[in-house]
Amino acid sequence: MADVALLTLVASRLQADPPATDAGELVLAALQGVDALAAALRGDAGAAVHVVDRGREPLAPAVYLSSLEVEGFRGIGDAATLTIDPGPGLTLVVGRNGSGKSSFSEALEMLLTGTNQRWKGRTKVWQDGWQNLHHRHTRVKAQFTVDGRRQALTLSREWPDGGAVEASALRIDGKAAPSLGQLGWTQPLAAYPPLLSHNELEHSLDEKQSILYDALAGILGLGELVEAQHRLKDARLAMERVAKEAKATSQQLIRVLEQTGDERAVTALTALRARRWDLETVERTVGARAEGAEHSTLQRLRDLRSLEVLDRDALMTDIGDLREAAMMRDRIRDTDAARADETAKLLEQALAVHTHSESQDCPVCGTVSVLTYEWRLKTAERVAQLREDAASVIKTRRAVQEAMTRARRLITALPASIGAAAGTGVDVEQVTGAWKHWRDAPDSDDPRQLASHLEMYGPPLIAAVASVREAADAELQRRERSWRPAAEAIVDWLPLGKRARSGEASLARVTAAEKWLRDAHDALRDERFEPIAAAVQANWSELRQDSNVSLGTLSLAGTGNSRRLQLDVRVDGEEGSALGVMSQGELNSLALSLFLPRASLPESPFHFVVIDDPVQAMDSSKVEGLARVLERAARDRQVIVLTHDTRLADAVDYLGVRATRVEVVRGENSEVALRRVHDAVGRYLDDARAVANSTGLPPEAARVIPGFCRQALEAACALAVTRRMLYDGKRYDDVQTELARPTTLKMWLALALLKDADRGGDVSDYLRRMHPWAVDIVEDCNRGVHGARLLRDMKGFVRGVEKLAREIAPASDG
Amino acid sequence: MAEPDAHALVSIARDLMRLESAGSAGLGPRAAAMLGRQALELALDAVWERTAPGMGRMTARCQRLCLGTLINDPVLGRRVEWAWHLLSDACHHGVYDLAPAVPDLLAALESVWALADSAERLRGLASYRS
Ligand SMILES: Nc1ncnc2c1ncn2[C@@H]1O[C@H](COP(=O)(O)OP(=O)(O)OP(=O)(O)O)[C@@H](O)[C@H]1O
Ligand SMILES: [Mg+2]
């Protein structure tokens, strides 16, 4: 069964560009499965294209993540919730090493897949810490907003206390579910994985080329074409195997036949040595009608064996009949049947005349008184005798005639088979002689002569024929004995030979089908991969920044074991071996470049992507590129990036990329807190306000407020400087260098306001002129940081700091 | 109100660690670090007062370099050096700083406490001498 869309696509390509020979039917059959292919190869009518809508998962609607609640998993103890605005946009989850970021993303992975990339290819020990040590109840729950659905979708996975990691129970909207299949997520999770763990980021490119290929080829939706290619290949290999085997065994058969001195062996040999095996002829040599040519020795021998022979009893009967007929003829030799008949007629007439006459005198001669009663009786008797004599003469004549005819019929001509017996190995001299005598019968019509001839030459003929038949039979048996092994060998071999020959015709078709499908697959693959490759390129050129490695064409190439992700890489213009030349940071960038386009494909229902720590091995200029890449991805996807490296958040700030920031802090007992923060300035001000507004704190706690205020001002200065420098076209690295210079608040202000960190001494004058109200604020920040007690209203102080900070750097999202 | 000493600030800092803010994560650790820094300054001042008056006017770096030798405890000197960095980072804007990790912070406060202890001991010695 094949997918309708794919089958239609293939069918239309077949029409536009038909393969050599009529292999198109095989291509379509191969797409539908092994059985269909086998039927098509047999030429079954049932192999007609039979399209079925494959039982696919329903196409899942787009989903965004809205919250992720994790409890008792890895570094997270009591339940902690990461809340995210559903919809496209960038969210940065920032926290120090060990703050629990990866625990969140791995928990989500657990929820969706029931396992973890982190454990892949590692020993069992890596799994052991999956449950939090401080909180022994483990549960992960996520909410998603679903396109076209009013309420949120809730997925949860819960582990029985003390249970194994595999023992989790999945629930969809509160109801137990065996898998995510009902959501239509199983396939997309494999094809468009929305999570990129750090482990994958680091190692996905270490994988074997074929695995990289598969990971990308999977999203192209051409898997069925690959399967169909395999089916055709298997069919071809099977045929080739049969052909090879038939060929090899035919050589053995030929050797057997060569050693068999039988004409059938010769026939079979000729048939087998022909350019193309003549299997019908070979088969006939062992068939029921195994006569070779019409005048073959075998046939002649069979004819001799079945020579008709005189029946001795019939011969004797005929001889007896002849002799009896002769005797009968002797008996009536002097009888004149005609005269007797005439006389009988005359006497009958006399009797009739006498009956009507009273006289006893003879009317013919006149003799008186002779026609007495006595005369009457005697005459009637004599008439009967005469009539009888006449009949027996006729009967005897006929009997003699018949006996002679029957006897002569026995004397047949010499059978052709005896005449043609030369070379059969059967001696026919004697029988020929006997037959010659037999034929040489006397011409007379004397039955006795004929009887003697039969008596003399019949028995020797019978004996001679019998011995010829025996000799022929013996010869036939001798030949059969020597032929049998050869015949058996032929019978054994024939089915294979037939399969090989019927495969021969198909082989060409299958080969053509296979080639056509491979070409079609490669063309479709390249077509479909192109936009992805383009997106990868775009990402790479953003991320590579100063890297001297440039990425040329990117494509999926090869088939079978040689399939690979083809990356043309140039180092300073020189061609290099793809992955070998890349640094760890470049590899990470490339892995990310590959991941994002795949996760952003329109076919994927997952409109969220979670990336764990992509920044680690990157230097600052790449981080800036990363921020841009993420910004672009976030235009139509919900991009969630977990990182310990603040440079990404910085870059996002400076570049004015809209992003939500969430900070993760992990306290004692695995208590994990998450807070959404604005920009750095806002965060410091929040901190300051929170302390100023808290009741019940010891008065000394207020000593930290000036510190936060100073940080807020420094952050505002950094932001202002960065914006200005980037606006002026400076490179991000230069900005970083500049920002590393100020060590005091005055220097920060000088850099931001006077464009020169070294003019810290002029800051107070400047402020007095431009923002007189701010002079004291700056002084108090500095003094307060070192513990000086400030004699002023703290809340008002924070408000003043905020005003100054926003003067220096207006809020980006305000 | 009397000026609080280093010990007092360290214990307040430990309490502050649980402080939370609606607008930022890690207010507690950040506030604690800030107070811890002030406690460290106080403790250092106390040490110099007893060992080398005038050191307090030297640069912060110079003070930290001499500490181990002057209190005759190089191990504590190094711990304080490390705590100084951790706590100071939390006091300056490092563009987009994160709150210090709790275990690190606890260790730094511990070092400050120990420095305050040794300042007390030095005071005891000084009063004994005079
Ligand atoms: N089973 C467990 N029980 C208690 N703590 C754990 C457990 N497993 C891991 N941890 C701890 O939880 C912390 C969080 O780990 P996680 O990998 O989530 O941190 P992260 O924020 O991703 O850090 P990084 O920035 O280094 O990647 C680590 O300090 C780890 O030692
Ligand atoms: Mg991590």
Side-chain angles (χ1 to χ4, degrees):
Chain A
M1 278 187 288
D3 178 43
V4 183
L6 198 59
L7 205 54
T8 318
L9 181 65
V10 170
S12 73
R13 285 184 91 99
L14 275 172
Q15 214 151 40
D17 166 32
T21 67
D22 56 341
E25 185 194 330
L26 292 185
V27 170
L28 293 174
L31 267 170
Q32 294 168 73
V34 187
D35 296 343
L37 179 59
L41 283 172
R42 280 195 308 270
D44 276 12
V49 176
H50 178 61
V51 184
V52 183
D53 212 340
R54 196 175 37 151
R56 265 214 196 153
E57 288 178 340
L59 210 59
V63 291
Y64 292 97
L65 185 63
S66 54
S67 77
L68 175 63
E69 186 186 326
V70 182
E71 177 184 350
F73 181 77
R74 293 202 59 242
I76 300 170
D78 290 350
T81 308
L82 172 63
T83 316
I84 298 169
D85 297 329
L90 177 60
T91 300
L92 299 181
V93 179
V94 198
R96 289 202 174 269
N97 290 140
S99 58
K101 303 174 301 291
S102 297
S103 301
F104 271 102
S105 64
E106 283 160 21
L108 180 61
E109 192 184 349
M110 276 317 268
L111 176 62
L112 294 178
T113 67
T115 180
N116 237 288
Q117 284 292 333
R118 184 188 168 82
W119 303 333
K120 207 179 131 194
R122 287 176 160 162
T123 54
K124 186 91 174 58
V125 188
W126 281 83
Q127 275 193 34
D128 283 349
W130 70 277
Q131 191 166 47
N132 184 265
L133 295 169
H134 306 113
H135 189 103
R136 292 295 194 166
H137 182 78
T138 307
R139 194 173 83 116
V140 183
K141 182 173 134 189
Q143 292 203 311
F144 301 86
T145 59
V146 183
D147 261 9
R149 200 179 123 148
R150 205 178 278 278
Q151 76 277 46
L153 166 71
T154 307
L155 300 186
S156 72
R157 202 181 271 279
E158 194 160 4
W159 282 259
D161 292 359
V165 67
E166 302 86 7
S168 63
L170 176 71
R171 285 173 179 276
I172 299 178
D173 285 328
K175 283 195 270 306
S179 75
L180 297 174
Q182 73 185 75
L183 298 174
W185 284 12
T186 328
Q187 229 180 295
L189 269 175
Y192 324 104
L195 311 177
L196 182 62
S197 71
H198 190 69
N199 194 28
E200 278 172 290
L201 188 73
E202 299 260 82
H203 300 295
S204 65
L205 291 169
D206 304 351
E207 296 281 11
K208 280 216 298 268
Q209 276 294 326
S210 55
I211 292 176
L212 291 178
Y213 177 101
D214 291 345
L216 289 168
I219 59 181
L220 304 178
L222 299 175
E224 292 200 26
L225 293 189
V226 177
E227 274 172 46
Q229 281 182 75
H230 286 163
R231 285 180 200 129
L232 285 169
K233 185 177 169 200
D234 289 348
R236 174 175 56 81
L237 289 180
M239 288 170 184
E240 284 174 354
R241 239 189 339 267
V242 168
K244 211 173 138 203
E245 202 189 326
K247 183 122 190 82
T249 48
S250 79
Q251 293 305 320
Q252 295 172 12
L253 180 59
I254 284 175
R255 245 168 281 133
V256 171
L257 291 173
E258 280 168 347
Q259 281 156 22
T260 310
D262 191 285
E263 57 169 8
R264 284 167 294 192
V266 178
T267 311
L269 272 176
T270 320
L272 284 177
R273 280 176 175 151
R275 209 175 56 80
R276 203 163 166 276
W277 292 330
D278 178 2
L279 295 180
E280 286 69 30
T281 302
V282 174
E283 186 165 25
R284 232 177 292 124
T285 61
V286 292
R289 309 177 304 111
E291 80 282 1
E294 204 160 311
H295 302 292
S296 74
T297 315
L298 267 184
Q299 187 53 45
R300 286 181 295 153
L301 279 170
R302 282 206 195 92
D303 291 347
L304 288 176
R305 184 175 57 183
S306 57
L307 267 182
E308 295 248 0
V309 81
L310 270 179
D311 182 28
R312 186 179 291 269
D313 291 345
L315 179 68
M316 288 313 161
T317 312
D318 283 352
I319 293 171
D321 287 355
L322 281 174
R323 290 204 191 286
E324 200 182 310
M327 253 150 58
M328 277 166 62
R329 207 173 59 172
D330 283 353
R331 220 181 303 134
I332 59 152
R333 180 172 303 276
D334 303 324
T335 310
D336 186 339
R339 235 182 108 77
D341 200 41
E342 288 287 289
T343 314
K345 273 186 195 146
L346 181 68
L347 290 179
E348 267 171 353
Q349 226 169 343
L351 281 172
V353 171
H354 178 255
T355 309
H356 306 294
S357 150
E358 298 290 307
S359 160
Q360 290 190 346
D361 305 335
C362 174
V364 179
C365 63
T367 312
V368 203
S369 294
V370 282
L371 303 181
T372 61
Y373 181 67
E374 219 170 305
W375 170 83
R376 253 195 99 81
L377 286 180
K378 251 163 71 188
T379 306
E381 209 171 297
R382 187 156 152 68
V383 165
Q385 182 63 48
L386 283 169
R387 285 238 181 263
E388 202 175 300
D389 285 353
S392 93
V393 167
I394 293 165
K395 199 173 138 211
T396 300
R397 260 192 217 128
R398 199 180 296 138
V400 169
Q401 203 58 50
E402 278 172 8
M404 292 286 280
T405 312
R406 250 199 324 277
R408 282 199 192 282
R409 220 180 276 142
L410 289 179
I411 303 170
T412 52
L414 181 72
S417 52
I418 293 178
T424 56
V426 176
D427 181 6
V428 289
E429 203 186 316
Q430 204 186 348
V431 80
T432 312
W435 215 295
K436 194 164 159 23
H437 289 305
W438 178 247
R439 282 286 284 170
D440 211 5
D443 223 2
S444 82
D445 57 355
D446 180 357
R448 277 198 187 83
Q449 268 187 18
L450 189 56
S452 305
H453 178 83
L454 293 188
E455 220 157 29
M456 170 113 71
Y457 298 110
L461 179 64
I462 289 175
V465 167
S467 83
V468 163
R469 284 170 54 138
E470 265 163 38
D473 189 50
E475 176 64 14
L476 276 170
Q477 279 189 29
R478 190 188 65 74
R479 285 173 182 246
E480 208 55 42
R481 267 196 305 280
S482 78
W483 165 244
R484 171 146 316 137
E488 273 167 8
I490 288 180
V491 170
D492 280 352
W493 177 83
L494 256 179
L496 189 61
K498 282 185 180 167
R499 267 168 59 206
R501 211 187 45 190
S502 74
E504 249 167 50
S506 308
L507 188 59
R509 292 172 68 215
V510 170
T511 311
E514 206 184 339
K515 174 174 183 325
W516 187 91
L517 195 54
R518 187 172 50 237
D519 293 347
H521 168 270
D522 290 357
L524 280 170
R525 177 187 68 188
D526 295 348
E527 222 167 80
R528 291 193 177 180
F529 190 63
E530 207 204 84
I532 298 174
V536 173
Q537 292 271 13
N539 285 341
W540 172 257
S541 58
E542 199 76 84
L543 283 175
R544 69 180 273 235
Q545 297 286 336
D546 298 330
S547 162
N548 47 8
V549 178
S550 68
L551 196 60
T553 44
L554 176 72
S555 57
L556 295 172
T559 45
N561 291 335
S562 71
R563 64 195 192 281
R564 63 199 179 278
L565 174 64
Q566 179 87 41
L567 290 165
D568 293 339
V569 170
R570 291 178 158 270
V571 190
D572 294 328
E574 295 288 322
E575 240 164 79
S577 84
L579 303 173
V581 300
M582 296 212 178
S583 72
Q584 192 55 46
E586 286 161 349
L587 284 173
N588 284 6
S589 302
L590 186 58
L592 188 69
S593 301
L594 283 165
F595 168 80
L596 281 173
R598 176 155 67 122
S600 311
L601 283 176
E603 295 89 336
S604 170
F606 308 115
H607 281 217
F608 61 91
V609 293
V610 180
I611 305 168
D612 193 7
D613 244 340
V615 203
Q616 259 170 38
M618 295 186 184
D619 49 32
S620 300
S621 59
K622 286 219 180 53
V623 172
E624 187 190 339
L626 176 65
R628 291 190 204 280
V629 165
L630 294 173
E631 178 188 30
R632 194 167 52 220
R635 277 185 211 143
D636 55 3
R637 283 290 183 279
Q638 185 184 33
V639 180
I640 300 155
V641 177
L642 311 164
T643 178
H644 77 284
D645 193 317
T646 54
R647 290 175 303 163
L648 181 59
D650 299 344
V652 159
D653 253 0
Y654 299 148
L655 298 172
V657 173
R658 288 186 80 84
T660 309
R661 251 152 285 162
V662 176
E663 259 184 59
V664 192
V665 177
R666 185 162 169 271
E668 285 165 286
N669 296 325
S670 297
E671 275 172 32
V672 172
L674 296 117
R675 282 290 179 287
R676 204 181 271 224
V677 294
H678 320 291
D679 58 0
V681 179
R683 188 189 55 173
Y684 291 130
L685 288 168
D686 273 333
D687 282 352
R689 262 192 302 265
V691 177
N693 293 341
S694 290
T695 48
L697 287 180
E700 282 78 13
R703 295 167 70 118
V704 303
I705 295 172
F708 287 141
C709 289
R710 188 179 72 174
Q711 283 176 319
L713 291 179
E714 289 178 356
C717 291
L719 189 55
V721 171
T722 312
R723 284 179 184 164
R724 185 178 64 220
M725 288 183 70
L726 290 179
Y727 184 82
D728 289 346
K730 295 284 193 312
R731 283 156 31 105
Y732 187 72
D733 275 353
D734 301 335
V735 178
Q736 291 292 96
T737 316
E738 197 66 16
L739 292 184
R741 293 185 54 208
T743 51
T744 66
L745 175 57
K746 286 275 173 65
M747 289 174 81
W748 273 111
L749 289 166
L751 183 62
L753 301 174
L754 308 172
K755 302 188 182 181
D756 184 354
D758 293 334
R759 289 180 57 196
D762 301 336
V763 168
S764 294
D765 274 351
Y766 175 86
L767 285 178
R768 242 187 299 282
R769 272 187 290 120
M770 307 300 293
H771 310 290
W773 50 271
V775 177
D776 285 351
I777 287 177
V778 172
E779 293 305 327
D780 282 352
C781 279
N782 269 333
R783 293 191 304 122
V785 167
H786 296 285
R789 193 188 299 277
L790 303 180
L791 301 169
R792 53 153 75 221
D793 157 35
M794 278 299 159
K795 291 181 196 174
F797 174 55
V798 176
R799 273 197 300 277
V801 169
E802 182 171 13
K803 186 176 167 200
L804 178 57
R806 296 306 180 198
E807 288 283 348
I808 298 168
S812 56
D813 43 9
Chain B
M1 194 164 64
E3 277 294 312
D5 63 4
H7 279 127
L9 286 190
V10 169
S11 17
I12 295 169
R14 285 179 177 145
D15 291 343
L16 279 185
M17 285 213 329
R18 309 203 138 265
L19 202 60
E20 288 189 21
S21 148
S24 74
L27 165 61
R30 267 198 288 266
M34 204 137 351
L35 214 52
R37 233 289 295 262
Q38 293 182 17
L40 179 60
E41 285 176 4
L42 281 181
L44 267 180
D45 284 349
V47 168
W48 300 146
E49 200 178 300
R50 268 118 221 175
T51 54
M55 264 311 270
R57 286 191 303 277
M58 311 298 281
T59 64
R61 187 176 147 69
C62 178
Q63 292 181 36
R64 291 186 326 264
L65 278 174
C66 304
L67 182 66
T69 315
L70 288 177
I71 58 172
N72 197 22
D73 185 345
V75 175
L76 182 59
R78 276 197 298 278
R79 279 174 59 198
V80 169
E81 168 81 11
W82 176 81
W84 172 275
H85 278 293
L86 185 104
L87 299 174
S88 297
D89 278 355
C91 293
H92 266 290
H93 170 63
V95 185
Y96 196 86
D97 259 345
L98 295 171
V102 171
D104 291 348
L105 185 53
L106 286 173
L109 290 178
E110 195 55 48
S111 302
V112 177
W113 185 271
L115 182 65
D117 277 352
S118 79
E120 300 248 296
R121 271 200 306 280
L122 287 167
R123 196 226 305 264
L125 273 179
S127 57
Y128 172 79
R129 249 194 255 142
S130 62

